[in-house]
Each structure stands twice: as C-alpha cells, then as structure tokens.
Amino acid sequence: MYAAIVFLPLIAALIAGFGNKKLTDRGAQIVTCGAMLTSAALGIVAFWEVAIQGNAQTIELFTWIDSGSFEASWALRWDTLTAVMVIVVTVVSSMVHVYSVGYMSHDPSIPRFMAYLSFFTFAMLMLVTSDNLIQLFFGWEGVGVASYLLIGFWYDRPSANAAAIKAFVVNRVGDFGFALGIFGCFLLFDAVNFDAIFTAAPEMAGTTFGFLWWDQVDALTVIAILLFIGAMGKSAQLGLHTWLPDAMEGPTPVSALIHAATMVTAGVFLVARMSPLFEYAPTALVVVTVVGAATAFFAATVGTTQNDIKRVIAYSTCSQLGYMFFALGVSAYPAAIFHLMTHAFFKALLFLSAGSVIHALHDEQDMRNMGGIWRKIPWTYAMFWIGSLALAGIPFFAGYYSKDMILESAFAAHTGAGEFAFWAGIIAALLTAFYSWRLLFMTFHGTPRMDKHTFDHAHESPPVMLIPLIVLAIGAVISGYVGFEYFVGHEMDAFWGSAIKVLEENNSIEAAHHHTPGWVKLLPLVVGIIGIGSAYVAYILRPEIPAKVASAIRPVYLFLLNKWYFDELYDWLFVKRSWQAGLAFWRTGDGTIINGFGPDGVSAMTRWCAGQVARLQTGYLYHYAFAMLIGVVALLSWYLAFGG
C-alpha cells in the first residue's frame, strides 16, 4: 500500500504520456484521475496507521548507490511528517486532476497535460517519502522539471516559455545551495541518511570547518543555511521569489497544484524534516525567521496593488509561506506544518475558484474588467468567501487556528527575531484581509466592467469543476478545528513523535499556550476585521477612494505595483551584466583570441604568403631567367660547400 501511494501517479503518467494512440483524451483523464483518487484514498489509510496509530516505518526498496563509504538506499520513510504531507499532496492533487477534466476540456493536448500533472505528483511524493538527502534531491529536481513543463505547457505563448525558463533558472540558484548543503552533510557526518545525520547532530554541535574565506566557521550553521537557500528557491522566499508570480502563465490547475499544496511547500518540509539539525544551529534559525518575516511583509504589500486575479493569490501564497518559515525559525515546526496543511486547502480552493471565474468570463484575468457577477456564478462566489475567510484568519475557519498559533509562537519566543516576525506578521495579516476582500469585491461586486457579450454569457462551472471546490471548501472549514489538538495542542508530542525535534528551551508553542497575553491572541482578529472593513469602504461604499490614494502617493503605489522593482533590479544586475560579460568574451575571447590565432589567423597568413609569392609573377622573361640563375648559383654553392 505504501509503495502504491507513491508509484500509482508515475504509472498513470507513463500510460497517459506514452500510451497507445487509441488512448483518447477521456481515457487519459480516467487513468490519471483514477490513479490519483486511489492514491488519495490509500494516503488517508496510511495517515491513520502512521500518524494516529503510531505505526511509523521505513520500507527499503533497494540499494541505490554503494561506493566506498558512501551508501544511499531507495527507501520510503513513513512517519507522521510524511503522512501529513502525503495526505495533503494526494488529496489536493486528486481534486486538481478532477477539476482539470472540466477546465482543460477544450485543450488539444489533454493527455500530455494529465501526464505532467501525475508526474509532478509522483516527484512530490518521492520527495516527502525520502529517507536520505540524495533521494530527496531526486524528488526535488523532479518537481522542478515537472513545474517547468507545466508552467510552459502552452508553449506557443512566448510569455509562458519565458516564465517556465525563469522558474527553472531561479530554482537552480537555490538548488546549488541545497547541493552544497548535501555535500557538507556528507563531509561532516560521512552519511546522507537522515537517521545517521540526526543521531550525530548533537555531538557535532560546535564543530567547525573551513568554508570559503573563513578558516573556522560553525559547521552546522553553514550546512543549515545552505539547505535553507535551497528551500528559499523552491518556496519563493524574498530574493528568490521572482519566479512565482510569473508562473501564473501556466493553466490555472497548475497554479493550484504548484502554488498551494505541493512544490512551494517543499522548502517548508525540508526545514521541518531537518529540524534535528537546525535545532543545533541557532544562527541559522535566526536567518530563517528574518527571511520568512520579511517575505510575509513584502508579498502582502505587493498583493494590495496587483490587478491580475491569479497574481494576487500568488503573492498571497508567497506571504503565507513567509509565515510558515518564520514559524520554523522560532522552532514552531508543528505550527508551520499545521499552517501548510490548512493553507493547502484554502489556497487551492481560491486558485481553482479563480479558474472558475476565468472560465466564466472567457479567459479574462484582469479584475478591472470584472465586477457584478456574483449572481451569475453563485457557487463560485460562495467558495471564494470560504477561501477568503480562511485566508484572513477569521475564527472557526482553518486559517484562524494555524496562523494565530504561528503569531503567538513568534511572540512567545522572546527573541529579537521573534518580535520582528510577530509584528511583520500582524501587518501582513492586516494587508492580507484587505487585498483578499479587494479581490472579492472587484471580482464579484459593483457594476459590471466587461463588455455586454461577456457579461451575458457568464455562466457557472460544470459539476466536474464544482465538486473539487466543495471538497476543498470542507477542508478549508474543518481542517483547523479538527487538527488543532493533534498538530499544536495537547496531543502534539504524541502525534509528532520523533518526526520533529524541538529542544526544550526552544519550545515556543508550549510557551505560547501558557505565557501569551490576551491582546496577542486578539490582535490578529482585530487587524483582520480592520482590513476587511477598509476594503469594503474603498471598493463598495466609496469606490473613488483607491484612485485618489494611488494618485496621492504615486511613488509608493508604483513601487508596490512594480513589485519593489525586484525584476528590474535583477535584470540590470544579473541579466544585463551577464549579457555584457558574454559579449565581451565573445569579442575578445572568441573573436580576437580564438578566431585571431585560429581560422582567421591561418587564413590571413595564407593570404599574405600567397600575396608575396604573387609579387614574383611579373610576366618578364629576363626576371625568370635571373631567378633561375640565382637558383643554380645557390645549388652549386651548397653542393661545393657540403656535397664534397
């Protein structure tokens, strides 16, 4: 059963992608959806056995690499962390598969799309069930390849090709750091197996080695930061986030799959998996906290000004990932995974609901061309409300339980980084509520801003698209309440077991339960209500306000609209400098040196010699006779001198 959960999506991908031509579009959909639904059902059974009944185990399939002291097995590690990730990945992915049957119904390449989705899911499942860093890296890179294929699925669009390449290249930057972290683990522990690393980590605390220009630097800190750089790329943290909004060029089901529950959460999973190592690297935890908090704030500010419905949700994802990372940074690993789980449901719900809106409005994505359609698509409207309430952390919806626990843990950590994260998170919560209802009001309320034909033909999505929304909405409503006691409540220690390690002095969740003032618990709700109220005033009661505010603070508005100019900065700093360096090398290295001394040089010398010889061809007989006489004299001289 445990192997089937992982390999069923791969089998389905191979059948759909390389199957006989007789396998129709419907056949590819049946195979991939059937495999994913089966995998999800088995994942629920596995979750019950592993997480609830405590039956953690490692299933070794075969020895993968055996060279000298280096050994890596292909094994499936099933503990509570794995079980949680598997149930999130399989449930959300199966809903995306089913939704895609309706959303992609008119696409000419349905089997290819379904094969990509299933392959992506297999790579993610391989990542979360890995028992060593090499196997994890295999899944990590598999997810990267699949995301490249999915983002650039509509390859006839230049923007989609550019977005796919950008995602691939930016992730390679993070993956280089991840690879160095794996090398560092092998150097320090002489192993890449998790159990071996985790067992030796306490003894290696304080160990130093040479790194770059430092003679002695804390080894665990360096390794942890390098692993975190890998996580930054995959999870779109500040600095390596620029690929995420551009990835919206892919079909909407891709956005839901990549940016809700799977690829972008791989970095969160990595840090949580390596918690036994990070706990002995306090400096690395501070870095994780600060980067996560800065990301949460940055993405929330940008989300307030975007006009593309999918980009607003994409920046929301980036912001929520920041919450997860600063939770990891204050050692609230269970809270981070709890938010990962609840976020998967309500963010996939929001993305797929956005797809339903786009489907209803004939591929329109600009919210400025929407409005007044809530009566036309009431089911989608209701789903948007549920997803937005969960995202804003309104009580009794899933996000309320997980996000508030993260903020309380950051406050209870009583560190400078924790306080910074808490207040950045509070500001982000205010902005999140504002841009969520800005999106809702601009999309569904007010006067219609599209042409009459589009408005008249706006229609609700078919049942095959609505049923996945309802399933995800149920998760967005109940997952927080149901999971609270197990993930971060009184059953936390028994539930997680040895899957996550937290040192007693770092247990910020325990401190949050016992030493958090009432105002800290209340503040996120207060700022959420303020954000919703502000959006209502600005976009319903006084719709002229946004334009006036944008005009009054135009530099700030443009700064946020242009995403803090990160793309322009990177284009100037890296793209243009690389282009100039390449041009200089081409002119100097290739043109002057290689061609100058190579083909061009040889040909030039040949032409010069030919020219010199040609000067002797005068056409006068006495010149030739004189040359012959010189030749005879030279030959006789040589013979008399050396021949005798």
Side-chain angles (χ1 to χ4, degrees):
M1 179 185 73
Y2 294 104
I5 292 170
V6 178
F7 290 103
L8 275 175
L10 176 62
I11 295 169
L14 293 175
I15 294 173
F18 300 103
N20 192 288
K21 290 183 178 180
K22 292 181 181 179
L23 186 70
T24 61
D25 292 352
R26 183 64 68 198
Q29 292 167 340
I30 291 172
V31 168
T32 52
C33 291
M36 276 313 311
L37 289 168
T38 304
S39 185
L42 295 177
I44 294 171
V45 176
F47 177 82
W48 178 263
E49 289 188 2
V50 173
I52 305 301
Q53 296 185 339
N55 186 25
Q57 57 186 297
T58 298
I59 303 168
E60 185 163 335
L61 303 178
F62 55 87
T63 299
W64 186 14
I65 303 172
D66 188 359
S67 177
S69 63
F70 179 71
E71 182 176 338
S73 296
W74 199 287
L76 304 179
R77 182 187 184 93
W78 282 90
D79 56 14
T80 302
L81 181 58
T82 300
V84 171
M85 292 299 298
V86 164
I87 199 172
V88 168
V89 171
T90 55
V91 170
V92 173
S93 182
S94 61
M95 292 302 100
V96 170
H97 275 70
V98 174
Y99 179 92
S100 298
V101 172
Y103 190 85
M104 303 294 289
S105 59
H106 300 297
D107 196 273
S109 303
I110 289 174
R112 179 166 62 92
F113 183 75
M114 302 306 290
Y116 287 172
L117 285 183
S118 292
F119 173 68
F120 180 95
T121 307
F122 160 72
M124 190 68 196
L125 289 172
M126 184 54 64
L127 190 159
V128 300
T129 57
S130 57
D131 188 47
N132 58 71
L133 286 168
I134 303 300
Q135 186 180 336
L136 192 152
F137 193 71
F138 168 82
W140 193 271
E141 294 303 302
V143 166
V145 170
S147 68
Y148 169 80
L149 296 173
L150 286 167
I151 295 168
F153 176 75
W154 286 320
Y155 55 83
D156 55 337
R157 301 180 182 179
S159 58
N161 287 324
I165 293 171
K166 186 176 183 180
F168 198 78
V169 170
V170 173
N171 272 277
R172 295 294 74 74
V173 175
D175 293 352
F176 180 66
F178 187 19
L180 291 178
I182 296 174
F183 301 156
C185 282
F186 183 69
L187 174 67
L188 190 64
F189 301 105
D190 195 32
V192 292
N193 182 271
F194 289 141
D195 287 334
I197 293 172
F198 298 162
T199 301
E203 301 172 6
M204 292 295 180
T207 303
T208 60
F209 59 20
F211 180 72
L212 297 178
W213 50 82
W214 294 288
D215 292 331
Q216 298 295 323
V217 64
D218 186 79
L220 292 186
T221 298
V222 170
I223 292 171
I225 290 176
L226 288 172
L227 294 176
F228 174 60
I229 290 173
M232 285 178 65
K234 200 67 73 183
S235 295
Q237 293 301 282
L238 188 63
L240 295 178
H241 68 280
T242 52
W243 66 270
L244 186 67
D246 288 23
M248 297 300 106
E249 291 293 337
T252 299
V254 173
S255 303
L257 188 63
I258 291 179
H259 307 123
T262 50
M263 177 174 164
V264 293
T265 60
V268 180
F269 167 80
L270 172 64
V271 176
R273 172 61 80 202
M274 301 302 292
S275 60
L277 188 149
F278 274 82
E279 282 297 280
Y280 295 99
T283 303
L285 288 177
V286 171
V287 172
V288 174
T289 305
V290 172
V291 172
T295 303
F297 173 77
F298 153 77
T301 61
V302 175
T304 59
T305 59
Q306 300 304 301
N307 296 308
D308 185 301
I309 187 171
K310 287 171 63 177
R311 283 180 181 258
V312 174
I313 305 174
Y315 276 108
S316 169
T317 299
C318 190
S319 182
Q320 297 305 304
L321 288 166
Y323 276 96
M324 297 176 209
F325 273 102
F326 76 69
L328 296 169
V330 297
S331 296
Y333 306 99
I337 300 300
F338 186 29
H339 195 52
L340 184 157
M341 186 266 291
T342 60
H343 173 265
F345 288 112
F346 64 72
K347 190 52 63 67
L349 174 63
L350 285 170
F351 266 120
L352 295 185
S353 297
S356 186
V357 172
I358 295 167
H359 177 78
L361 298 180
H362 306 289
D363 298 328
E364 179 60 66
Q365 294 185 202
D366 193 326
M367 296 187 299
R368 292 170 296 186
N369 298 326
M370 298 180 185
I373 60 171
W374 71 272
R375 288 187 178 88
K376 294 272 189 176
I377 47 175
W379 281 95
T380 301
Y381 178 61
M383 297 301 104
F384 242 109
W385 265 97
I386 293 172
S388 298
L389 288 168
L391 173 61
I394 301 303
F396 313 118
F397 289 85
Y400 165 73
Y401 297 93
S402 56
K403 187 163 75 172
D404 280 28
M405 179 50 65
I406 288 176
L407 291 170
E408 291 169 24
S409 299
F411 182 86
H414 293 300
T415 62
E419 289 185 12
F420 169 69
F422 172 77
W423 288 109
I426 290 295
I427 297 172
L430 171 68
L431 297 176
T432 298
F434 176 79
Y435 67 63
S436 295
W437 265 260
R438 171 181 178 266
L439 184 155
L440 197 150
F441 293 143
M442 288 184 69
T443 301
F444 294 99
H445 290 274
T447 57
R449 295 179 296 279
M450 72 289 288
D451 61 80
K452 187 176 186 303
H453 179 269
T454 301
F455 179 77
D456 290 341
H457 289 80
H459 57 281
E460 187 61 272
S461 298
V464 73
M465 293 172 64
L466 290 178
I467 291 172
L469 297 184
I470 294 170
V471 173
L472 293 170
I474 293 171
V477 172
I478 69 170
S479 61
Y481 175 77
V482 172
F484 183 83
E485 286 299 319
Y486 292 97
F487 280 80
V488 294
H490 299 301
E491 303 291 332
M492 178 177 66
D493 293 337
F495 178 75
W496 290 106
S498 60
I500 287 176
K501 181 181 179 64
V502 181
L503 298 178
E504 188 60 35
E505 61 270 23
N506 293 346
N507 198 333
S508 57
I509 293 180
E510 194 67 28
H513 282 310
H514 297 97
H515 308 295
T516 303
W519 67 267
V520 172
K521 297 176 182 290
L522 190 61
L523 189 57
L525 175 60
V526 172
V527 298
I529 293 173
I530 292 173
I532 294 171
S534 301
Y536 181 75
V537 171
Y539 291 94
I540 298 296
L541 295 182
R542 301 284 300 278
E544 73 279 3
I545 288 179
K548 291 181 178 179
V549 172
S551 177
I553 54 170
R554 187 160 182 77
V556 176
Y557 172 74
L558 291 176
F559 181 69
L560 299 181
L561 182 66
N562 289 285
K563 302 160 286 191
W564 289 28
Y565 293 101
F566 267 100
D567 284 308
E568 289 79 3
L569 174 64
Y570 286 180
D571 184 65
W572 178 83
L573 191 61
F574 299 116
V575 178
K576 289 183 178 178
R577 299 292 86 78
S578 298
W579 175 264
Q580 290 172 352
L583 191 63
F585 177 80
W586 173 69
R587 286 173 174 168
T588 304
D590 190 65
T592 304
I593 299 175
I594 297 175
N595 284 344
F597 289 98
D600 291 348
V602 172
S603 63
M605 180 60 70
T606 303
R607 285 196 305 272
W608 182 83
C609 292
Q612 299 307 310
V613 172
R615 293 177 63 185
L616 299 175
Q617 310 303 313
T618 63
Y620 294 107
L621 185 62
Y622 66 88
H623 286 172
Y624 302 146
F626 183 68
M628 291 172 62
L629 182 61
I630 292 174
V632 170
V633 170
L635 183 63
L636 289 173
S637 300
W638 179 84
Y639 179 77
L640 293 174
F642 302 103

